Amino acid sequence: MAVEQPDMKISIGSLRLKNPVMTASGTFGYGEEYASLVNLNLLGAIIVKGISLLPRKGNPPTRIAETACGMLNAIGLENVGLERFLSEKLPFLQDISTPLIVNILGDTVEDYQQLAKRLNEEEKVAALEVNISCPNVKQGGVAFGTDPHMAHAVTKGVRQHFKRPVIVKLSPNVTDIAEIALAVEEAGADAVSLINTVLGMAIDIDSGKPKLANIFGGLSGPAIKPIALRMVWQVAENVSIPIIGIGGIATPEDAIEFLLAGASAIQVGTTNFINPKATEEIIHGMGTYLREHNIASIRDLIGRARHT
Amino acid sequence: MAVEQPDMKISIGSLRLKNPVMTASGTFGYGEEYASLVNLNLLGAIIVKGISLLPRKGNPPTRIAETACGMLNAIGLENVGLERFLSEKLPFLQDISTPLIVNILGDTVEDYQQLAKRLNEEEKVAALEVNISCPNVKQGGVAFGTDPHMAHAVTKGVRQHFKRPVIVKLSPNVTDIAEIALAVEEAGADAVSLINTVLGMAIDIDSGKPKLANIFGGLSGPAIKPIALRMVWQVAENVSIPIIGIGGIATPEDAIEFLLAGASAIQVGTTNFINPKATEEIIHGMGTYLREHNIASIRDLIGRARHT
Amino acid sequence: MPALQQKAEIIRSEKLTDDICRFTVQAPDIAADSRPGQFVMVRAAEGMDPLLRRPFSIHQVRDGGLLQILLKVIGKGTQALSKMQVGQHMDILGPLGRGFTYNSKHHHYLVGGGIGIAPLLFLAKQILKKNEPSTINVLLGARAKDEICTLVDDFAGMGLEVKVCTEDGSLGKQGLVTDLMAPLPDENPAMVYTCGPYPMLRAVVGVCRDKNWACQVSLETIMACGLAACLGCAVLRADMNGYVHVCKDGPVFNADDVAWL
Amino acid sequence: MPALQQKAEIIRSEKLTDDICRFTVQAPDIAADSRPGQFVMVRAAEGMDPLLRRPFSIHQVRDGGLLQILLKVIGKGTQALSKMQVGQHMDILGPLGRGFTYNSKHHHYLVGGGIGIAPLLFLAKQILKKNEPSTINVLLGARAKDEICTLVDDFAGMGLEVKVCTEDGSLGKQGLVTDLMAPLPDENPAMVYTCGPYPMLRAVVGVCRDKNWACQVSLETIMACGLAACLGCAVLRADMNGYVHVCKDGPVFNADDVAWL
Ligand SMILES: Cc1cc2nc3c(=O)[nH]c(=O)nc-3n(C[C@H](O)[C@H](O)[C@H](O)COP(=O)(O)OP(=O)(O)OC[C@H]3O[C@@H](n4cnc5c(N)ncnc54)[C@H](O)[C@@H]3O)c2cc1C
Ligand SMILES: Cc1cc2nc3c(=O)[nH]c(=O)nc-3n(C[C@H](O)[C@H](O)[C@H](O)COP(=O)(O)OP(=O)(O)OC[C@H]3O[C@@H](n4cnc5c(N)ncnc54)[C@H](O)[C@@H]3O)c2cc1C
Ligand SMILES: Cc1cc2nc3c(=O)[nH]c(=O)nc-3n(C[C@H](O)[C@H](O)[C@H](O)COP(=O)(O)O)c2cc1C
Ligand SMILES: Cc1cc2nc3c(=O)[nH]c(=O)nc-3n(C[C@H](O)[C@H](O)[C@H](O)COP(=O)(O)O)c2cc1C
Ligand code: FES
Ligand code: FES
């Protein structure tokens, strides 16, 4: 009995998505930028550029550099800030049926709490993704995401003030990512998303200086896919909340790998720059895979490689 | 006044090398395999496949998988063991003028010590490279290289029994590589080499299983270059012993980036598989760069990007 | 003008010099919406290395949905693109960014250097739709003759007066394009439209300030998306307080809106 | 036979089917040293994606330093290679590995499946240098006719008897190549030389054991170096105690030396 119309729906906590394909924060603007290229209503969820309480200017240029099958970015979390996000960016997204997930960042636990509180009032904000892992910002020293106690504290703070699903986005720049995942699960996260970018750098041998003004930047793109996939596997072995896989996903095959490793959903990042239609193509291609393999529901893929 | 014959010599502790280009352990066999393709006598140093006290069979196949601009390997440290290395592999290398560096690995500090003791007797072994970072072997739990105390202990053990330079090879799969580098410096290492492979994985979506029998493998090749370069920079900020840069080096330009970041020498790994003549080409190309930039000595490049 | 993605067939490929070529592609939807000074992002290879699209100015738009880019080989991306053949398809995203603004109040000075001349041909054509050739002066600079002789002919063919200088003196005056500007009469109101290497742009802006001429510059930065999504293409604002983004706020800026470092 | 690296010019490119092509390249140094069953490692692209060289059997060696490979499109590496044109250069490393061993004591059965037929043509030619055509039987299997008809002609052109079967019955018998082996007289001593997909090899080895025939198999694994340096190409030994390496100990093995799983 052939599967004609495979079921693509997945859940992240109480959030129900029509399919598991999301856009990764910082790679899809505020959605509007891609409106002429992608049918936004087809996406599983839209995650917008990370928002802080106050606007941020970001790092001086040069902010990006290309590497083998990847890119480095040191945007420095430039963003319009909470208020302008609500007044200028949210109205457009209100009209899109796709659930909106807002990525938030802060310098202190209190920052995160305030963001959570205010965004909890906006019904359109279906979930928060808490960025505890950005390696670009020099302030505050060690990133929240590299220490289980700090990661726990931020998660707990956001959890208290936001009633809908809280997704915590993990940093790969750690010895043991499962330890961090466990800490945020315990603090009440509904899901984890991983990975954020891997800390890297590049040097211009003509000028003799780092290519990025910030010296270090975050590596993303196909180059990091094997690392991301391994971390999803490790986290899946240790937590029971849903995992959203991120890192170098460019094709339906890549997305399926992440589901087989244990992810319930995936995000497409850098690939949006190269192939703006990638998210649509991935949704379509995942459906084809299910049909060809006669699998009734995409949920049947989750973690399958770990159980065979 | 143009530089005609730039000085390519560098030192790693008491070891003097004619140029900074070495072959990375596990990617150049025991030298002999490349003898028809590379003039072995031109190389800065030859580092052979990691040797353990007893022979190891390694992991079951599949052992390798290709990834975007990289590859995963889970060889499982297959090697002929110390005795067969001495009787079967060393004689060939005795006739090569290039300094030989032996990469060693063990399950316990005592293993490493015994290897160091026996290899200390072989004059041809100019230095040891201590692999404390291999992510492929399941035995023994946590890798030595992910804990500063364990890294310190191994280094100290080898240091006691080996009189010529001891290079400790670091794992990138840690939150803070500078911390590990400091620990091994303190334990008496003459140099550090970095990075070993980054832990990764890949899944075959047709079989639904991991591509590697070992599930996880080590990611190498151009994909990891930005990560390696960043770690060299971080270590250079923290230790004063020489650094040997490794990770995705394929061209003279890549090699120069590592020197500018703070490495005194470099190793070519995965690239040997793709372009067996790469080491020679890199030596040649670095000389050209020095001439074109009118730099008298390659040592003038070391760490230059950190000082401008 | 929403951005569109199109696999555009290459209709013609001209080799202007060893490292400069001009591609004509069939991209009706993108061409229809394009304005002078806008750009497209082109995928350089099918694989993932090189990864990012490369930005190119829209050099010309022709009848029949044709779009031209003028491409100079710089690194591996442009190298790969330069080898593309007639009949193959270029993956193009565009039109992108804010182009030049022009009207009939001004005398128009088009000042281009090297490959920066690319967008000026399209601009000249559009200005000529409502203005006489005499309202336009074209000033071009290049390293050597072969880099620009085809382009000089293209401008001249529109009936425009073209002044040229080259660094090696092989065509026109020997010198920089600012040397051509200095002796010009202080026509006012005048608008300078300029594109080229950063040091040239800075010098041109300096001359404009001296002459009290308005000036629009087309800037280049490294870009990842071209769509205002990655925020990678930041350039310091004139007030030094924050950044503008070349792919969205530009690539064409009023010279007074950005900092000159 | 030390391995050499050569940028070999493509002299001829034949498209045998939609996804199988045969390249003839000028690689005199490699060709001079090649023996049947050995292979070469070919770089698939100039960039870093795909990264690794791809292994291909030496299909034939021809006068004038020519070397042939027969290539089936499987994934992105073979896809890229299949698009290469006459006049371009293939980056080839070889000859590599241990080939077939053959002598005049045996009756020779060459048993090939699909693209695994590639090395057998070279082998047949070498055996024929010291043996009569009647000492050789060629048994070929494939999915369908077009996959092998050119190759059948090549063997037949050497005066050899060729038996063929296809899975769809479009050429020769319908069935598997082992079906062709079963009814053969128990000529002894006989040597079977076989290459093809793993399930076929295992079946062929089974028939050989039944008939008490010696058997050499050419194995495939994923390879990174082809030079015995990476140890990636491990295959379990017959005694299940450790591994042999396809690129050095093989690709041709005595069937009894490796485990059949
Ligand atoms: C708005 C705009 C319009 C342009 N118009 C043209 C044009 O009409 N004709 C033309 O030949 N060139 C034009 N350029 C420059 C062109 O984009 C670069 O020369 C090209 O990207 C270099 O790529 P590469 O792979 O050959 O070089 P590489 O050095 O290998 O590229 C490495 C990285 O640097 C980036 N990069 C390098 N140089 C530049 C540069 N000057 N500007 C932006 N990114 C750069 C590349 O995008 C890539 O990410 C334009 C650039 C911009 C921003
Ligand atoms: C000794 C030897 C001789 C061979 N001779 C021939 C020949 O004459 N003609 C021919 O068409 N093919 C031959 N093959 C198989 C050929 O190497 C693979 O089909 C090819 O590598 C697939 O590459 P791809 O990029 O198209 O596929 P992809 O699936 O994209 O390759 C992914 C990775 O898997 C490896 N891989 C995939 N399939 C195989 C395979 N079957 N064997 C080894 N590696 C594989 C590739 O090297 C690559 O690293 C031979 C293989 C070996 C080991
Ligand atoms: C230009 C750029 C900007 C990014 N900005 C953010 C951000 O604001 N917040 C965040 O959590 N992640 C950010 N990321 C990380 C991505 O969301 C994603 O985790 C990462 O790029 C890995 O996925 P990819 O390989 O598919 O790009 C950014 C990535 C890029 C490339
Ligand atoms: C197939 C393979 C085998 C390796 N074996 C060893 C080893 O035995 N000991 C070791 O210290 N490193 C080993 N390495 C790691 C390399 O020496 C090197 O650190 C790593 O590959 C990164 O460099 P690259 O990107 O240039 O390959 C191995 C790498 C590969 C690809
Ligand atoms: S290039 Fe991405 S925002 Fe401008
Ligand atoms: S392919 Fe590297 S050892 Fe065989």
Side-chain angles (χ1 to χ4, degrees), chain A residues 64-66 211, chain C residues 19-21 37-41 44 50 52-59 69-80 115-119 195 218-224 246-247 250-251:
Chain A
I64 47 185
E66 196 181 46
K211 284 192 180 169
Chain C
D19 59 358
I20 299 180
C21 47
Q38 288 190 299
F39 67 102
V40 291
M41 295 288 284
L52 299 173
R53 287 174 180 266
R54 304 302 200 234
F56 296 96
S57 299
I58 297 168
H59 174 50
I69 63 171
L70 189 71
L71 177 151
K72 178 169 178 168
V73 174
I74 298 292
K76 59 184 175 175
T78 44
Q79 181 79 54
I115 195 72
I117 299 167
C195 184
S218 177
L219 295 184
E220 294 191 1
T221 57
I222 294 181
M223 290 185 177
V246 173
C247 77

Side-chain angles (χ1 to χ4, degrees), chain A residues 69 175 203 205 230 257 289, chain B residues 69 175 199 203 205 257 289:
Chain A
C69 291
T175 309
I203 293 175
I205 68 164
R230 179 262 296 184
E257 279 191 76
Y289 176 89
Chain B
C69 292
T175 309
L199 202 57
I203 292 175
I205 67 163
E257 278 191 77
Y289 176 90

Side-chain angles (χ1 to χ4, degrees), chain C residues 15 23 83 86 100 118 131 151 188 212 219 234 239 254:
Chain C
K15 213 168 155 51
F23 287 104
K83 288 186 186 155
V86 169
F100 294 103
N131 299 276
L151 300 170
N188 252 318
N212 214 5
L219 295 184
D239 62 10
N254 287 322

Side-chain angles (χ1 to χ4, degrees), chain D residues 195-256:
Chain D
C195 184
Y198 192 82
M200 179 200 107
L201 296 182
R202 194 175 38 202
V204 169
V205 171
V207 175
C208 290
R209 287 187 178 159
D210 290 346
K211 291 190 179 269
N212 212 6
W213 285 350
C215 179
Q216 294 175 41
V217 293
S218 178
L219 295 183
E220 293 192 0
T221 57
I222 293 182
M223 292 185 175
C225 71
L227 292 165
C230 76
L231 307 181
C233 59
V235 160
L236 197 59
R237 289 151 65 133
D239 62 9
M240 303 279 197
N241 185 16
Y243 303 95
V244 287
H245 297 96
V246 173
C247 77
K248 183 185 65 170
D249 307 314
V252 177
F253 294 91
N254 288 321
D256 292 341

